Amino acid sequence: QLQLVESGGGLVQPGESLRLSCTASPFTVDVYAIAWFRQAPGKEREGVSCINSSGRTVDYSDSVKGRFTISRDNAKNTVYLQMNNLKPEDTAVYYCAANRRSSICRDQGSESDFGAWGQGTQVTVSS
């Protein structure tokens, strides 16, 4: 069925940037609502942001507003998370997930809305 693969994580210093990628197969990313989640050590998984099938976006985390931007490139069948001005508290495993039942992002991220998940990519922000 639908498969998602994240990439782009790594080790960066505070203030630097990363761009995460989420590629879907065999279906196109514009069919689903697709969200980024993250899970930091010792913490619950939290929603970061979501993009719906028409390209409208919803930010779930106040802590990343103004720093993180979700976007989509239909030609590459990829959803991105551009992360700027990274902070140590952004350290987490980042996952992308697709809602297979809806193309619309709800106002609040909920793990139960998303049935297809990628394997995650590690982002470590440390000096």
Side-chain angles (χ1 to χ4, degrees):
Q1 302 298 329
L2 176 66
Q3 295 184 351
L4 303 173
V5 179
E6 304 96 333
S7 62
L11 173 64
V12 297
Q13 297 184 30
E16 295 184 341
S17 299
L18 283 174
R19 188 181 72 170
L20 306 182
S21 299
C22 172
T23 301
S25 63
F27 307 106
T28 54
V29 294
D30 59 350
V31 174
Y32 310 97
I34 297 180
W36 286 97
F37 288 78
R38 67 182 183 182
Q39 187 167 20
K43 294 186 177 181
E44 298 293 324
R45 188 174 297 177
E46 67 169 342
V48 177
S49 62
C50 182
I51 185 167
N52 69 19
S53 62
S54 65
R56 296 175 65 91
T57 62
V58 177
D59 292 327
Y60 292 141
S61 176
D62 289 337
S63 67
V64 305
K65 288 183 178 178
R67 299 189 297 120
F68 290 11
T69 303
I70 190 170
S71 63
R72 184 179 66 223
D73 186 334
N74 291 335
K76 297 182 178 180
N77 201 33
T78 299
V79 171
Y80 300 100
L81 184 67
Q82 178 67 45
M83 305 185 297
N84 297 327
N85 191 25
L86 284 161
K87 303 177 180 180
E89 52 263 41
D90 295 320
T91 295
V93 177
Y94 284 73
Y95 301 88
C96 65
N99 187 337
R100 294 172 294 180
R101 289 183 172 270
S102 176
S103 62
I104 300 174
C105 300
R106 296 205 290 178
D107 290 339
Q108 293 182 317
S110 176
E111 293 184 42
S112 62
D113 288 340
F114 301 90
W117 293 78
Q119 83 289 349
T121 184
Q122 176 71 49
V123 173
T124 302
V125 185
S126 177
S127 59

